[in-house]
C-alpha cells in the first residue's frame, strides 16, 4: 500500500507542475460480490498532435485481493484524419501472479457534411505469469463509429483472441485488451467479443448525452450477455468539468448474474 500512495502522489505532482493543457478523471465502480474498482487517469497535451498520460487502477472483491496495475497512454494524430494509439500496461505481482502487455492501434476519420465515420484497427498482447506457468493472449480488434450531426452516435466492434491458451485463473483484467462494456472483473481467457452501442446527444438544450450498449463476451468457463446504459453531462459553460454515471447488467450462462454501477468525474485544466 505504501507504493500505491507514492504513485498517486507522483501523479498529483504532475498535475501541478505541467503547464500544457491537461485532463484528469477519477472513477469508482461497485457491484456484485463486493467488487470495488478505483481508477485515476492523468493526460496532458504535449503538442497539437501528441497526447500522453498515465493511469493507475486498483480493484478487489470477495474473490480477488487488492490488484494494482498501471498503464501508459500515448496518442499521436497524423494530419486531421489519422491517429495512432499505444497503451502498455503492467499488473504488479500478487500471490505469485503478474502480467504485462500492450494495446496499439490505428484509426482513420472520414468527414462528410456533418457526418463523420471512424474506422479503427487494434492489436493487443498480454503475457501473464500464474504460479510456475506462463500464458499469452493475442487479440485483433476492429471498430466502426458513425456520428450523425453530432447528435446520434452508432458504434460497432468485434474482437478475436487468436491464441487460445484457456487459462481459467489470474488477476489481469481483459478490459486492457478489448474495449467492452462489462464493468466487472473478467480474468479468465476471453475468446471473442462483439459489441454495439448507441448514443444520443441533448445539445443544444443540454450539454450532455445518453448512451446504451450490448456486448456478447465468450470466455473460459462462461459466456456473458452484457447490457449497459449511462448518462454523461458537462457541468459548466467552459466544459472543464464532467460527470458520467453508468449501469451494467451481466447475464451469465453458467452462474448467477451480476450488476455494477460506475461513477466518473473529469476535469480539464
Amino acid at each position: 500500500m505504501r507504493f500505491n500512495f507514492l504513485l498517486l502522489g507522483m501523479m498529483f505532482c504532475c498535475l501541478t507542475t505541467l503547464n500544457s493543457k491537461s485532463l484528469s478523471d477519477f472513477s469508482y465502480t461497485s457491484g456484485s460480490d463486493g467488487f470495488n474498482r478505483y481508477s485515476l487517469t492523468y493526460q496532458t497535451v504535449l503538442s497539437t498532435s501528441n497526447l500522453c498520460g498515465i493511469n493507475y487502477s486498483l480493484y478487489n472483491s470477495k474473490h480477488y485481493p487488492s490488484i494494482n496495475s498501471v498503464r501508459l497512454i500515448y496518442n499521436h494524430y497524423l494530419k486531421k484524419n489519422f491517429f495512432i494509439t499505444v497503451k502498455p500496461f503492467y499488473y504488479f505481482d500478487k500471490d505469485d501472479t503478474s502480467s504485462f502487455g500492450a494495446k496499439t492501434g490505428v484509426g482513420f476519420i472520414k468527414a462528410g457534411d456533418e457526418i463523420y465515420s471512424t474506422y479503427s484497427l487494434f492489436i493487443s498482447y498480454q503475457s501473464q505469469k500464474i504460479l510456475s506457468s506462463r500464458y499469452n493472449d493475442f487479440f485483433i480488434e476492429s471498430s466502426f463509429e458513425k456520428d450523425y450531426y453530432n447528435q446520434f452516435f452508432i458504434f460497432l466492434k468485434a474482437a478475436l483472441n487468436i491464441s487460445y491458451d484457456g487459462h481459467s485463473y489470474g488477476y489481469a483484467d481483459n478490459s486492457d485488451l478489448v474495449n467492452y462494456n462489462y464493468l466487472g472483473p473478467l480474468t479468465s481467457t476471453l475468446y471473442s467479443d462483439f459489441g454495439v452501442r448507441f448514443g444520443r446527444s441533448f445539445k443544444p438544450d443540454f450539454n450532455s448525452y445518453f448512451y446504451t450498449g450490448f456486448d456478447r463476451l465468450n470466455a473460459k468457463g462462461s459466456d456473458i450477455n452484457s447490457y449497459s446504459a449511462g448518462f454523461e453531462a458537462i457541468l459548466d459553460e467552459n466544459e472543464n468539468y464532467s460527470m458520467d454515471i453508468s449501469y451494467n447488467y451481466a447475464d451469465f450462462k453458467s452462474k448467477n448474474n451480476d450488476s455494477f454501477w460506475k461513477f466518473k468525474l473529469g476535469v480539464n485544466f
Side-chain angles (χ1 to χ4, degrees):
M1 289 302 293
R2 180 180 179 182
F3 175 82
N4 300 343
F5 288 115
L6 177 61
L7 180 60
L8 288 174
M10 293 173 61
M11 293 174 67
F12 279 116
C13 285
C14 290
L15 298 181
T16 60
T17 57
L18 292 178
N19 295 321
S20 54
K21 179 69 175 179
S22 301
L23 311 92
S24 182
D25 66 67
F26 170 78
S27 68
Y28 169 66
T29 305
S30 177
S32 300
D33 296 323
F35 178 75
N36 297 281
R37 188 198 302 270
Y38 307 88
S39 178
L40 178 63
T41 302
Y42 168 74
Q43 299 181 76
T44 184
V45 179
L46 298 180
S47 68
T48 56
S49 60
N50 293 281
L51 181 148
C52 71
I54 185 171
N55 169 268
Y56 167 78
S57 176
L58 179 150
Y59 73 82
N60 57 54
S61 73
K62 294 180 181 178
H63 308 293
Y64 294 93
S66 295
I67 307 302
N68 299 275
S69 61
V70 293
R71 49 204 52 79
L72 301 177
I73 304 164
Y74 176 71
N75 293 323
H76 178 68
Y77 298 89
L78 304 171
K79 298 181 180 180
K80 295 182 179 180
N81 302 97
F82 294 91
F83 64 87
I84 300 171
T85 180
V86 181
K87 188 179 74 172
F89 59 87
Y90 179 73
Y91 281 77
F92 296 95
D93 188 272
K94 191 76 173 184
D95 299 333
D96 204 22
T97 298
S98 61
S99 174
F100 68 89
K103 182 174 183 177
T104 184
V106 296
F108 170 72
I109 302 173
K110 181 181 180 181
D113 291 335
E114 298 185 284
I115 298 177
Y116 298 85
S117 301
T118 303
Y119 305 86
S120 302
L121 178 65
F122 300 93
I123 58 173
S124 56
Y125 169 78
Q126 174 180 249
S127 178
Q128 186 168 192
K129 182 179 75 71
I130 303 175
L131 301 178
S132 60
S133 300
R134 183 164 291 277
Y135 301 92
N136 300 305
D137 294 289
F138 187 86
F139 274 91
I140 296 178
E141 180 180 6
S142 62
S143 65
F144 168 73
E145 183 176 6
K146 199 81 169 181
D147 177 350
Y148 294 93
Y149 311 104
N150 203 28
Q151 292 289 320
F152 299 93
F153 309 90
I154 298 175
F155 178 82
L156 301 172
K157 70 118 173 79
L160 178 66
N161 189 347
I162 60 176
S163 59
Y164 307 98
D165 61 46
H167 71 268
S168 57
Y169 171 86
Y171 291 147
D173 195 346
N174 283 292
S175 61
D176 281 304
L177 303 171
V178 178
N179 178 26
Y180 50 72
N181 68 6
Y182 175 57
L183 296 179
L186 181 55
T187 60
S188 62
T189 295
L190 176 63
Y191 297 119
S192 64
D193 170 50
F194 169 79
V196 57
R197 300 171 195 172
F198 171 79
R200 172 67 168 96
S201 173
F202 296 106
K203 290 183 177 180
D205 298 323
F206 303 100
N207 197 354
S208 59
Y209 74 96
F210 167 82
Y211 57 90
T212 184
F214 168 80
D215 271 80
R216 170 68 180 196
L217 300 117
N218 301 305
K220 175 75 172 180
S222 182
D223 298 330
I224 309 171
N225 288 335
S226 178
Y227 307 88
S228 65
F231 177 80
E232 181 173 358
I234 305 299
L235 303 178
D236 67 315
E237 294 183 356
N238 296 324
E239 300 187 352
N240 289 326
Y241 303 94
S242 64
M243 177 185 65
D244 191 340
I245 301 175
S246 57
Y247 173 76
N248 173 218
Y249 176 79
D251 177 13
F252 283 80
K253 301 306 176 184
S254 63
K255 67 167 191 167
N256 294 333
N257 299 331
D258 289 344
S259 61
F260 304 89
W261 284 95
K262 181 177 180 180
F263 305 89
K264 184 169 76 171
L265 294 175
V267 180
N268 299 335
F269 50 94

